[in-house]
Amino acid sequence: MKRLWQQTCSFPPAARLLMVNQFGINLGFYMLMPYLAAHLSHELGLAAWAVGLVLGVRNLSQQGLFLIGGTLADRLGYKRPIMVGCLLRTVGFGLLGWVDNLPALVAASAATGFAGALFNPAVRAYLAAQAGERRVDAFAAFNVYYQAGMLLGPLVGLALLKTDFRLVCTVAAAIFAVLTLLQWRALPTGDGHAADTAQCGVLSQWRTVVSNRPFLLFAVAMIGSYVLSFQLYLALPLAASDSLGASGTLVTSGLFVVSAAVAVAGQLRLTGWAMGRWRSEQALVRGLAAMGLAFVPLALTPRSSSLAVLASLLAAVVLLAAGSTVVYPLEMDTVVTLSGDRLVATHYGLYNTVSGLGIALGNLVTGALWDFALQHDVLWLAWAALTATGLACAVSVAALAQNGHLTARRVEPVPT
């Protein structure tokens, strides 16, 4: 904690506020969202399709509108989308706890999703601008606050849930209301990047980003890392349930805690250790390879041995989290580098959209492969495919680096 405090204090006040802001965002989000499906189905009595619709609208409105959020941030400045996003979350989370009809729930879910699309690209672009040459260190500290919010959110939500789900929603909404007020009072307005779009239209702004070939290649190459990270929600819980039965749910909860704890405790140390030994692109490639190799223990473990599966799951989560902590700050820094420090939020918006589409497709393929492997008793095949995904991702990024596609460049606006 002392090291985190010292590193946080070494950045400008705006950067420090953005880090604390992200902790609050994740705290409020994860204290509510893990329990929303149960509330909709059990307390409100919605059919499964309706529950899926409410949850799906939130994901679609966020992943599908990241580009819009990034575009607005580059045109209007970073502060306003961050504030409006948090205000929308305040309204959306408040409604989720106090309305009981499907149209209102869908509208609230859409508002919470669009809120994320507004503030996510803006926060990252603003932090990059404030950090300057220390972007890697800034994003490393930022990820500690991010993971800490993920770690504490479900625990706070569970404690409040003993009273009432509406209390959970009200407290989550109050957190976002406080964040909105803090940003209005303390976040500087002049971020200096809205001028990039003063002389061009939205279409020109999008064409400039889409025509940035090295950036697009990097975004596609990194899809595999997001697919692997999402297996904490898909393949690993399925493996726990398959081998451990009723205890699988408890084990899955423990895996989430371990993953977040590794990131919180190890982010700054791992980032410093990796950057002290390798160049940025080398550390990025090794982190991606580690994420892929995380699934090797599961491929070598027989599913009939519950204790061995439990040990392999723990090893996989630790290695996956460690690889992710190395990758994240370098990945965020590379996006800024490839943007040429122009239209940074729009680049982040498109990057998030590409990764979101990749996650959806990757989950579909992983789920189908899991069903096939389970039916034919060849689960090692599913784990081997995930390992191959990580290694392919690492090789792709290494090839981009070798060909000079990850170096800084000036991105010129493309006329409409």
Side-chain angles (χ1 to χ4, degrees):
M1 289 299 294
K2 182 179 179 181
R3 184 173 181 178
L4 175 62
W5 176 254
Q6 291 174 339
Q7 182 142 326
T8 303
C9 291
S10 68
F11 290 102
R16 298 200 296 266
L17 177 58
L18 291 170
M19 294 174 189
V20 175
N21 179 70
Q22 191 61 47
F23 170 78
I25 286 173
N26 278 17
L27 177 68
F29 182 84
Y30 285 99
M31 68 189 293
L32 186 154
M33 291 307 296
Y35 311 110
L36 179 58
H39 167 72
L40 296 174
S41 59
H42 298 154
E43 297 181 26
L44 299 186
L46 294 184
W49 69 265
V51 176
L53 176 63
V54 173
L55 299 180
V57 164
R58 188 213 66 81
N59 187 67
L60 180 63
S61 60
Q62 179 164 316
Q63 296 290 347
L65 297 176
F66 270 130
L67 180 59
I68 301 296
T71 301
L72 291 174
D74 279 327
R75 299 194 71 81
L76 304 176
Y78 302 145
K79 178 177 179 176
R80 278 182 280 183
I82 296 173
M83 285 182 55
V84 172
C86 286
L87 189 59
L88 269 179
R89 276 276 167 94
T90 302
V91 175
F93 278 0
L95 285 174
L96 285 174
W98 293 93
V99 299
D100 56 7
N101 62 86
L102 186 58
L105 289 168
V106 169
S109 184
T112 63
F114 183 49
L118 281 174
F119 59 63
N120 274 341
V123 166
R124 284 151 182 77
Y126 204 160
L127 182 62
Q130 288 289 315
E133 296 300 318
R134 297 184 60 208
R135 289 194 300 262
V136 173
D137 291 336
F139 279 113
F142 177 84
N143 198 40
V144 176
Y145 288 95
Y146 186 100
Q147 296 291 337
M150 286 183 61
L151 179 62
L152 294 179
L155 302 178
V156 175
L158 185 61
L160 295 174
L161 196 60
K162 294 180 179 179
T163 301
D164 186 20
F165 183 76
R166 286 179 294 184
L167 179 62
V168 178
C169 293
T170 301
V171 173
I175 289 174
F176 279 95
V178 171
L179 290 176
T180 305
L181 182 61
L182 281 175
Q183 292 152 8
W184 174 61
R185 294 293 301 273
L187 200 61
T189 302
D191 50 60
H193 284 258
D196 285 346
T197 61
Q199 303 300 323
C200 66
V202 171
L203 290 180
S204 177
Q205 190 174 340
W206 288 352
R207 289 185 183 185
T208 299
V209 176
V210 172
S211 64
N212 187 346
R213 186 168 175 268
F215 163 74
L216 290 180
L217 290 174
F218 179 71
V220 172
M222 290 297 294
I223 286 176
S225 69
Y226 285 87
V227 173
L228 296 184
S229 295
F230 201 88
Q231 299 317 305
L232 188 61
Y233 302 87
L234 181 60
L236 297 183
L238 288 174
S241 177
D242 174 65
S243 295
L244 305 173
S247 301
T249 302
L250 180 61
V251 170
T252 299
S253 300
L255 295 179
F256 278 100
V257 172
V258 170
S259 177
V262 169
V264 171
Q267 177 70 72
L268 300 183
R269 291 182 178 85
L270 285 170
T271 301
W273 178 82
M275 295 303 295
R277 285 161 176 76
W278 306 309
R279 298 192 306 274
S280 294
E281 63 273 16
Q282 293 175 324
L284 182 59
V285 169
R286 286 166 171 80
L288 293 169
M291 292 177 69
L293 294 174
F295 299 95
V296 171
L298 287 161
L300 301 176
T301 302
R303 56 187 289 216
S304 58
S305 176
S306 299
L307 187 59
V309 169
L310 180 59
S312 296
L313 284 170
L314 182 60
V317 167
V318 170
L319 191 52
L320 188 62
S324 296
T325 58
V326 172
V327 167
Y328 178 79
L330 298 170
E331 169 193 8
M332 294 294 101
D333 176 65
T334 302
V335 172
V336 180
T337 298
L338 295 179
S339 74
D341 207 27
R342 292 195 74 257
L343 303 176
V344 176
T346 311
H347 279 84
Y348 274 130
L350 182 58
Y351 187 84
N352 288 334
T353 299
V354 170
S355 62
L357 293 173
I359 288 173
L361 179 60
N363 285 345
L364 181 63
V365 174
T366 301
L369 183 57
W370 178 270
D371 288 338
F372 174 84
L374 195 62
Q375 182 180 357
H376 295 84
D377 196 24
V378 287
L379 280 185
W380 62 267
L381 183 62
W383 304 124
L386 290 171
T387 297
T389 299
L391 296 179
C393 188
V395 169
S396 299
V397 173
L400 291 176
Q402 186 175 7
N403 291 326
H405 290 310
L406 300 186
T407 55
R409 62 191 64 241
R410 179 66 180 172
V411 178
E412 299 298 337
V414 177
T416 304

